[in-house]
Amino acid sequence: MSEITRVGVDLAKNVIQVHAVDAGGKLVTNKALQRDKFMQWCALLPAHCLIAMEACASAHHWARKLVALRFDARIIAAHLVSPYRLQGKGGKNDANDAAAICEAASRPTMRFVAIKTLSQQGMLCVHRLREGLKSERTACINRIRGLLAEFGLVFAQSPDALRGNLSAAIEDASNELPGIARLVIERAQSQWDEIDAHIAWCDQRIAAHIKQDEHAKAATQLLGVGPVTASAVIATVGDFKQFKNGAQFGAWLGLTPKQNSSGGKNNLGSITKRGDMYLRMLLIQGAKAALRTAQRHDDPISQWAHQLREKSGWQKAAVALANKNARILWAVFARGKPFDARHESVKPGVPQAAMPAT
């Protein structure tokens, strides 16, 4: 055990596979451990040993425990591990995955996932629950519409229109709804109300997070960043200094274009859609909302967004504004400066007077 310098760990519910090598990369041990034996085995490793694992359920839990024991715990995104599996796609198993994780961790240019704190993961639980409840609410509404349509009752598409007519339809004795169907729809209506109450509870927790966290409160000042987006960004990212610059943060969110460039010719496509899908969705939805009223504001960002919408179209302008907001968020929190809607960027080495007005 004293020879081990790097360990690759493939996590699972009950069995954890470890692949340990020495300073020269020579295999020392590759074996499976029961979940309750894993920390006991790690305690025998040399101090500050590098222990890498793939980003998955429980990865942050184990990483926090290993850091508490003063190990160099690191998490690697799954898509960065796959190329190091020597057996390829057809040779995927726990042992090969652990070896691939160990090899990937040795790369000097490898990018690692920042370990989330307990408070970060706790707040993200609220967001995950809220998203799940939204899907359940949509399914419940569609179920009610489908049941009513079977008896010739069709209402406008908006949930508010359905809610406003639902009670009257249940009580109306002149329609074709049989007694059992009325009871079923009444029960579905109660389920809808219950889901709304749960979502309202989640919104209250998010509002409390904004009130208590200065960073989250500061994020809401940006155009197109509301309480839900601000809370999710702070809970997900934590330390913005893990990114080199705002462009890297935007690329991490999947808001930058795909590239198929060669021979000095740049070919850019649609956005990569890599990274956190939830954050990307919130930023783009917020940007779309901001675009609706951008022409009413005179700040440079609103005017730029409105002009881009007129020039390039609604969707491209929304994605561009979402990417700009991502860059601004990085600049605000990585540099520790307050957000200024009228700030004008100056390129390094160029006098401010020589810069054209925006």
Side-chain angles (χ1 to χ4, degrees):
M1 295 291 286
S2 61
E3 299 175 354
I4 296 175
T5 59
R6 188 174 68 253
V7 181
V9 181
D10 183 60
L11 300 172
K13 292 181 180 179
N14 299 315
V15 178
I16 297 177
Q17 185 79 28
V18 295
H19 182 99
V21 299
D22 59 16
K26 183 179 179 181
L27 176 64
V28 176
T29 182
N30 186 356
K31 64 179 180 179
L33 300 170
Q34 292 297 317
R35 181 185 179 89
D36 57 353
K37 302 293 184 182
F38 176 59
M39 291 305 297
Q40 297 178 15
W41 183 84
C42 290
L44 302 175
L45 293 172
H48 306 293
C49 177
L50 171 59
I51 304 177
M53 61 202 75
E54 194 175 80
C56 63
S58 76
H60 291 277
H61 162 75
W62 289 116
R64 285 193 296 267
K65 285 186 171 293
L66 292 170
V67 169
L69 293 177
R70 298 186 179 181
F71 290 114
D72 185 8
R74 304 194 183 183
I75 302 175
I76 308 176
H79 70 276
L80 297 179
V81 173
S82 298
Y84 294 95
R85 190 188 304 115
L86 299 179
Q87 297 77 10
K89 294 182 178 179
K92 178 175 172 55
N93 58 45
D94 292 349
N96 293 340
D97 285 351
I101 294 169
C102 186
E103 181 63 26
S106 69
R107 301 297 92 190
T109 58
M110 180 55 60
R111 295 175 180 174
F112 300 98
V113 178
I115 301 172
K116 290 183 174 59
T117 64
L118 287 172
S119 60
Q120 281 182 270
Q121 286 198 288
M123 198 61 223
L124 286 175
C125 287
V126 177
H127 287 273
R128 299 294 180 261
L129 176 61
R130 186 177 184 274
E131 281 301 292
L133 290 170
K134 285 170 57 181
S135 299
E136 292 176 18
R137 180 174 61 181
T138 301
C140 182
I141 293 172
N142 290 339
R143 187 180 304 115
I144 293 173
R145 289 187 182 278
L147 293 173
L148 290 172
E150 293 291 337
F151 301 98
L153 299 175
V154 178
F155 302 103
Q157 289 295 318
S158 71
D160 290 338
L162 177 61
R163 187 188 293 276
N165 292 283
L166 189 55
S167 297
I170 295 173
E171 298 297 331
D172 187 4
S174 64
N175 58 40
E176 297 182 356
L177 281 176
I180 186 64
R182 294 179 194 274
L183 293 175
V184 168
I185 295 173
E186 188 176 17
R187 182 59 61 91
Q189 184 184 29
S190 299
Q191 182 188 14
W192 184 3
D193 293 338
E194 184 179 356
I195 293 173
D196 278 344
H198 290 320
I199 294 177
W201 180 89
C202 292
D203 290 338
Q204 291 173 4
R205 303 283 75 74
I206 291 173
H209 181 215
I210 297 296
K211 186 176 180 179
Q212 297 168 2
D213 193 297
E214 292 299 326
H215 285 176
K217 187 184 299 183
T220 58
Q221 297 177 7
L222 274 68
L223 179 70
V225 177
V228 175
T229 305
S231 173
V233 166
I234 299 304
T236 302
V237 180
D239 183 14
F240 282 80
K241 292 182 180 180
Q242 62 183 290
F243 300 100
K244 181 180 179 181
N245 50 42
Q248 190 180 83
F249 180 49
W252 179 77
L253 289 171
L255 290 169
T256 53
K258 297 176 183 176
Q259 290 198 45
N260 186 21
S261 305
S262 180
K265 183 177 180 180
N266 296 325
N267 294 315
L268 303 180
S270 58
I271 58 174
T272 63
K273 295 185 179 180
R274 295 176 180 174
D276 195 298
M277 180 178 64
Y278 179 60
L279 278 186
R280 183 172 62 253
M281 178 266 296
L282 289 176
L283 284 169
I284 292 177
Q285 285 185 348
K288 288 181 178 180
L291 280 174
R292 294 191 183 98
T293 59
Q295 70 276 11
R296 304 176 192 171
H297 303 282
D298 61 352
D299 60 279
I301 297 176
S302 297
Q303 292 300 310
W304 167 83
H306 177 63
Q307 292 172 9
L308 185 62
R309 176 184 175 182
E310 296 296 317
K311 177 183 177 181
S312 303
W314 171 267
Q315 296 291 349
K316 290 183 179 179
V319 173
L321 180 56
N323 191 17
K324 179 180 282 290
N325 280 338
R327 290 170 176 247
I328 294 174
L329 284 169
W330 177 88
V332 168
F333 297 121
R335 296 175 179 172
K337 296 182 179 180
F339 170 67
D340 180 10
R342 299 187 179 278
H343 173 76
E344 295 184 7
S345 300
V346 179
K347 293 182 179 180
V350 178
Q352 188 170 0
M355 293 295 295
T358 57

